[in-house]
Every structure is written in structure tokens, then in C-alpha cells.
Amino acid sequence: MQATTLVPRTADLFNQGLELKTGAALLRFGAARQHPADRISWTGHGAVAWLDGVRGHMWSVGEPDAAAGLVLRAALGRPDEVREFTGPRGTEALAGRLLPVTDVVEWVFRWTLEEPPVQRAEERVVVLDESHHDELLAFLNIHSPAHSTGPGSADVSLWAGIRDPDGRLVACGAMSSLRDSGAPLMASVATDAAQRGQGLGAALTSWLTRYAVRRYGFCTLWQLADNAPAERLYTRLGFRNEDPCVSARFAAA
């Protein structure tokens, strides 16, 4: 393993064959895109890892054993800076042999380069601005308390929603960005439970995907691994499913 103060060149990473391994899309849309010149990263043995210093979060791509080795090297070498990590499925168990981990969540990183088929009710989607932030926050707190991003977040470039005939918000979602690269990331899509089954979530997801593809050329999202309805929807809308990931925190000593 070799530590460096620069993220390896994209060509160097792909010369290792990482484009054929788990997490290749996360690498292409993350470290291989725009990044600070002083980002700290680790490479070796068919894996790469890089540090989001603001969050204390390690991102790792490659085979689980190699990725876990890089995560552990970073955590042991920089214990005050590395607090959590994301890596290919299995990284948490391997890292946990040496350091205790907690708050394990399994995810899938998904992406598409194509506009999805137009969905029923998509014409009802409207753009929401700062004057709607209080309304959005109240809606998310009720219908999606664990939402990944909220109104006013610096990572969000757009909020969109759907209203019922009385003007009441019944669905919402955001176009955010991957923190480490700025790549477009759909986030905090939520639907009023009483309105489910009408295709509102599909309409909003399709609209946001179309917006991102037209503006940036692609769209990405994170999906909880055990969310079967979301799995079916994202597959139907053309999102690739190639990057099973896991996130966890290092438990306090």
C-alpha cells in the first residue's frame, strides 16, 4: 500500500482493473471527477480509498479485503480524523476484526445516463424555492423523518414537489450532490402515506432524473438495500444496480 496526498489519476485507477470491480461507478462519479488537489487517499492491492475530511468519512472501492485494509490503515494512522466509512459489502466485517464498528447500513449506489420513460402525473411536478423551505421541512419530518438532506442544505441545487388539488404538498424530492465530487445525487424523495399507490413517487423520481440527465448527463442515488419497492421503481426507471455498499462508524473507545 502506498499513501499519497493526491487522488490517483483516473487512468491509474482503471489500469489496476478497478473499473471491473465492485464500486466502479462510485469511483467514476466520485474520486474520478472533480476533487480538491489536497485530498488524502490510499491505493494498493486492487483498492482505493479517499478521505472526506469535513465528515471524517472514508470512501473505499475495490475488493472488500483490500478496501478494508485501506480503511483500517487510514483509521489507525489518523484516529482523530477517520470516524466512519463506506465500502463494498463485507468491508464492515473485515474492518471489525481489528476495530469495533457500529451503525452498519447496507446501501446500493445506483446511476443512469438515460432519461426514463415519462410517468403518469409527471406533469404535476413543480419547482419549489426558498419560500417553501418551512413547508418542505414539516412535510419531510412527518413522511420521511430519516431524510438524507433537508431544506437549506448547501448541497441541494433544486427542490421539486407535487401538490393535490387543494394545493397541499403530497410529494417532494431534491437534486443534491455527492459531497466529494459534486456529481448530481437525487435525495429525500418522499410521498404522503395517504397518497401512495397513485404513482406520485415514480413521477417525482422520473422528473428529477430527467432534470439531472439533461443538465449534467447522468443522475445518481443511494438506495437502502432492503427497500424492495424502491428497488423495483429504480430498476424500472433505468438505474443501474452494480455497487452494493455498506456504511458504518468506528465505535468510540
Side-chain angles (χ1 to χ4, degrees):
M1 300 179 191
Q2 180 181 2
T4 175
T5 56
L6 295 176
V7 173
R9 295 180 306 167
T10 305
D12 293 339
L13 296 173
F14 289 170
N15 285 341
Q16 295 182 37
L18 292 183
E19 77 279 13
L20 304 177
K21 298 183 181 298
T22 300
L26 180 57
L27 174 63
R28 290 198 299 274
F29 297 126
R33 293 182 61 80
Q34 295 179 0
H35 52 76
D38 60 351
R39 170 151 299 144
I40 300 171
S41 69
W42 294 257
T43 63
H45 302 291
V48 61
W50 62 99
L51 175 63
D52 178 346
V54 175
R55 295 173 57 197
H57 192 105
M58 286 295 303
W59 295 89
S60 59
V61 168
E63 293 299 326
D65 55 349
L70 296 181
V71 168
L72 284 170
R73 174 171 181 157
L76 293 170
R78 297 173 176 266
D80 295 331
E81 299 176 59
V82 179
R83 298 183 295 275
E84 57 189 35
F85 63 90
T86 293
R89 211 71 61 77
T91 303
E92 79 292 357
L94 293 164
R97 294 176 181 175
L98 190 58
L99 293 176
V101 300
T102 186
D103 299 333
V104 176
V105 179
E106 293 188 344
W107 302 82
V108 180
F109 180 73
R110 306 192 66 160
W111 59 279
T112 183
L113 305 178
E114 305 293 336
E115 292 187 30
V118 175
Q119 303 296 300
R120 175 171 56 91
E122 199 172 327
E123 74 284 352
R124 293 174 57 187
V125 176
V126 295
V127 175
L128 303 174
D129 59 28
E130 292 183 4
S131 67
H132 303 105
H133 280 188
D134 289 344
E135 181 185 19
L136 279 164
L137 182 59
F139 181 84
L140 286 168
N141 285 341
I142 294 173
H143 300 289
S144 183
H147 53 275
S148 58
T149 192
S153 170
D155 296 332
V156 174
S157 59
L158 176 82
W159 282 96
I162 297 177
R163 298 188 181 279
D164 67 11
D166 296 324
R168 188 171 61 92
L169 193 65
V170 292
C172 73
M175 185 51 57
S176 185
S177 60
L178 286 171
R179 187 186 299 268
D180 62 318
S181 69
L185 177 76
M186 192 187 312
S188 296
V189 176
T191 304
D192 186 329
Q195 302 288 330
R196 288 174 186 163
Q198 301 182 34
L200 301 183
L204 192 59
T205 300
S206 178
W207 190 94
L208 286 167
T209 303
R210 194 180 320 283
Y211 171 89
V213 170
R214 289 181 178 180
R215 188 177 183 88
Y216 305 103
F218 65 100
C219 185
T220 71
L221 59 84
W222 289 101
Q223 175 208 314
L224 282 171
D226 60 356
N227 191 334
E231 167 75 22
R232 291 191 293 269
L233 172 61
Y234 297 144
T235 298
R236 178 161 59 88
L237 295 182
F239 280 86
R240 303 278 291 273
N241 180 350
E242 300 171 352
D243 298 316
C245 301
V246 63
S247 295
R249 295 179 182 275
F250 287 110

